Amino acid sequence: MTRHRVFGPVYIVGVAESQLGEVWDQTELSMVALAAREALMEAGMTYKDVDAVFTNYMGEEGSVQVGEYLGIQPRFADSSDLGGAAFEAFVHHAVLAIDAGRCEVALVAYASRQRTRRVRTMSRDNDRSTLASQFELSYGLPAPVGHYALIAARHMYQFGTKPEQLAEVAVAARKWAQLNPKAWSRDPLTVEDVLASRMICDPLHRLDCCLITDGGGAIVVTNRARARNANSKPIRILGAGESHTHWTIAQMPDMTVSAGAVSASEAFAMAGITPSDVDVLEPYDSFTITVLLALEDLGFCAKGEGGSFVEDGRLAPGGALPALTSGGGLSYNHPGAFGLMLLIEAVRQLRGDAGDRQVPNANIGVAHGVGGFMSTASTVVLARD
């Protein structure tokens, strides 16, 4: 495929996680500060170098509060609410802003203490003025698990997808998590264990659902000139795309097709790659069904074939398509919005810094974020330069 470039070389030059799991001795802002400092150290930079700030779910004014806390007065800022897909979208926006000369060094950051504070990012739908409260919660549809359960049920009805196939995703994630010392859940897991776990919202069992943890992180995005001085190996951003389709589930055009069909098509075309070129995939795994739709919509298999595609450990260590390599939201960490963690893991894989879970000869990686009720999607293609 011919590679079409619409921007100059842009790189991720620093990545870092905040504290993960249960965080009692930090605030969300201090977690961001610590992760940002570590990511900037990898980049060979300090806060003074940052002239763009991107964040989501960080207070009422997002980037304004983060900028104040870090002592950054940015030339460019973005707090677009695309849920878990926001962070891949922020990379897209940062690339465009850097290419347009609106900034040189972009900090993308996020942190949440949803576990220790006993809150969920979706809790805002308890506001009785929202469309979801008026037309969904009043009929007993729990957010967000009810929405994803509807999508899973439709996929099963339309394509014959089996609960055992959904469970394969959770098992693959756990096998990767067993190689990651930072993962929250590392005990052995089988398909039978997933199916025996408590039914949360038919057909999704407890182990089909992501973790609820604290966590966060930061990444640094910059141009080629600034990337030359990084203390870590710069990873090039080849392509990016984003899209959204609906908010209330009744308005989802097709419950078996996500916004990823558009975001991935645009990202892959910009990067000049096809799915067969991808060495490591980091799909959003809020639920096991989220991964099946991603595999189909990104073109790794045909529509309706996601269930059979993941059988026999295809996504697990040693499988044909290494995916969920950190352990994913199902076993590693899920702080309410997981898209930033996908980028961090993809960068580490492409640098060769993933330790025991390192995918051999990983040259091209994809991070694919999903937000809301399968409402938003954003895709980033990364590569060793």
Side-chain angles (χ1 to χ4, degrees):
M1 178 183 291
T2 302
R3 181 167 292 173
H4 299 284
R5 296 242 179 247
V6 296
F7 57 87
V10 181
Y11 299 84
I12 296 177
V13 290
V15 301
E17 297 144 311
S18 70
Q19 289 178 270
L20 305 174
E22 289 185 346
V23 181
W24 296 95
D25 58 347
Q26 299 285 340
T27 68
E28 286 86 346
L29 287 170
S30 66
M31 290 165 68
V32 159
L34 292 170
R37 185 174 65 181
E38 184 179 340
L40 286 164
M41 287 177 63
E42 285 196 351
M45 300 177 183
T46 69
Y47 290 127
K48 293 180 180 179
D49 294 291
V50 177
D51 58 359
V53 175
F54 298 80
T55 193
N56 195 15
Y57 293 142
M58 292 293 295
E60 296 86 353
E61 300 300 331
S63 63
V64 180
Q65 291 170 309
V66 170
E68 177 188 70
Y69 192 87
L70 300 180
I72 298 169
Q73 186 175 346
R75 298 166 56 207
F76 194 94
D78 189 353
S79 299
S80 299
D81 186 359
L82 296 179
F87 306 96
E88 283 73 23
F90 288 154
V91 169
H92 186 197
H93 301 173
V95 165
L96 298 176
I98 290 169
D99 190 59
R102 301 306 301 271
C103 62
E104 289 188 353
V105 178
L107 176 68
V108 183
Y110 167 76
S112 166
R113 292 178 60 238
Q114 64 163 11
R115 183 179 181 89
T116 52
R117 293 178 61 198
R118 298 181 182 275
V119 297
R120 289 281 290 163
T121 55
M122 289 293 181
S123 63
R124 64 187 183 277
D125 283 325
N126 291 325
D127 178 354
R128 305 312 298 177
S129 68
T130 66
L131 290 174
S133 291
Q134 294 178 60
F135 299 108
E136 294 179 353
L137 289 179
S138 58
Y139 290 94
L141 185 68
V145 64
H147 303 70
Y148 285 84
L150 283 174
I151 292 166
R154 181 64 194 183
H155 204 275
M156 290 177 167
Y157 171 79
Q158 190 164 330
F159 301 115
T161 308
K162 301 174 183 178
E164 291 83 358
Q165 294 170 330
L166 292 175
E168 288 275 7
V169 175
V171 170
R174 184 62 59 85
K175 288 181 178 178
W176 285 110
Q178 290 177 306
L179 303 175
N180 184 355
K182 294 183 179 180
W184 179 264
S185 298
R186 301 182 65 202
D187 293 335
L189 185 69
T190 66
V191 169
E192 292 72 25
D193 292 333
V194 178
L195 299 182
S197 65
R198 183 166 59 93
M199 185 69 75
I200 299 297
C201 193
D202 194 7
L204 298 178
H205 299 81
R206 182 177 66 84
L207 293 175
D208 285 303
C209 306
C210 68
L211 302 170
I212 298 176
T213 66
D214 303 334
I219 66 172
V220 180
V221 182
T222 194
N223 58 28
R224 172 173 279 176
R226 302 297 297 269
R228 292 192 181 103
N229 298 319
N231 293 324
S232 61
K233 181 177 179 59
I235 297 300
R236 189 164 178 173
I237 302 163
L238 293 185
E242 60 192 272
S243 185
H244 54 80
T245 54
H246 65 283
W247 184 247
T248 54
I249 196 67
Q251 299 304 312
M252 188 173 183
D254 183 336
M255 283 193 183
T256 68
V257 179
S258 73
V262 172
S263 68
S265 176
E266 293 187 352
F268 283 24
M270 185 183 293
I273 69 162
T274 67
S276 63
D277 297 314
V278 177
D279 299 309
V280 59
L281 174 66
E282 306 299 342
Y284 206 98
D285 59 332
S286 49
F287 301 91
T288 51
I289 186 61
T290 316
V291 175
L292 293 196
L293 260 63
L295 291 167
E296 296 171 0
D297 292 340
L298 272 64
F300 290 97
C301 60
K303 179 54 62 180
E305 294 181 1
S308 58
F309 184 84
V310 301
E311 291 179 337
D312 301 320
R314 187 187 292 264
L315 307 183
L321 179 63
L324 310 159
T325 58
S326 67
L330 290 164
S331 285
Y332 154 63
N333 180 269
H334 197 289
F338 190 60
L340 186 58
M341 319 306 283
L342 303 175
L343 291 159
I344 292 170
E345 177 66 13
V347 167
R348 287 177 174 161
Q349 286 287 344
L350 296 177
R351 285 182 186 167
D353 291 344
D356 290 342
R357 64 186 188 279
Q358 179 63 51
V359 175
N361 303 313
N363 292 306
I364 294 180
V366 171
H368 178 69
V370 174
F373 310 120
M374 205 80 84
S375 311
T376 67
S378 53
T379 311
V380 173
V381 180
L382 301 170
R384 293 189 187 187
D385 198 11

